[in-house]
Amino acid sequence: MRPAPSSPRAESRPGGRSARVRAAVHQAVRELLSDEADELTIPVIAARAGVHATTVYRRWGSVGDLLTDVATSRFSGDIVVPDTGSLREDLERFASDLARDLSDPDTLSLVRAIVGTGGENAGVCRAERQRQLEAMLEREQARGNETPPIERATDALLAPLYYRAVFTDQAPTPEWARTLVSHLLPD
């Protein structure tokens, strides 16, 4: 018996019901977080999205995994990696853009919710930012210049930005964020 010829219908297709469900559930999570809902549970999210809770459980399994998916979607590619020709200027722009992003109430509520779920899910908040930071350092190395190790850059830039945003009442301002670069790259 020969395999059936491949048709457009047999292939995975973008969009469709699955994409609509994902979009509705993601929107429901964002709305509930911005409404500062007391209880973020799968039944509450499903009701807000207009889908059955079983659909959400089957696709994501837990609130933590759902928040991770929302965050991955939200944080991927939203901050452009600067390329000014100067590592210092790139890092200052990157840090100030990240501070602005973390000062946004919707972003902050998502980050805090993910951190609240603990475990491996919390890493999604910084993963894309760390990749962007690493890209800037690698680009500078390709120019023939020395750079601090990625761990040091993460500790000097990402750690204080996320700490201030998540665990204090002080918003990380772009001006303050730029000063972090001077600690990483002293003159």
Side-chain angles (χ1 to χ4, degrees), residues 106-140:
D106 293 336
T107 300
L108 185 55
S109 63
L110 178 58
V111 171
R112 284 181 172 159
I114 290 169
V115 168
T117 66
E120 65 192 46
N121 292 331
V124 74
C125 295
R126 72 158 173 74
E128 178 66 17
R129 303 299 175 244
Q130 188 163 338
R131 279 191 288 278
Q132 293 167 334
L133 184 56
E134 197 164 21
M136 287 181 277
L137 296 175
E138 288 172 357
R139 186 175 53 225
E140 185 70 8

Side-chain angles (χ1 to χ4, degrees), residues 77-113:
D78 63 325
I79 292 181
V80 176
V81 177
D83 187 4
T84 64
S86 160
L87 180 59
R88 179 177 300 279
E89 289 178 32
D90 289 351
L91 292 175
E92 285 175 350
R93 186 173 296 167
F94 173 76
S96 64
D97 288 350
L98 181 52
R100 267 191 282 287
D101 191 43
L102 289 170
S103 295
D104 175 80
D106 293 336
T107 300
L108 185 55
S109 63
L110 178 58
V111 171
R112 284 181 172 159

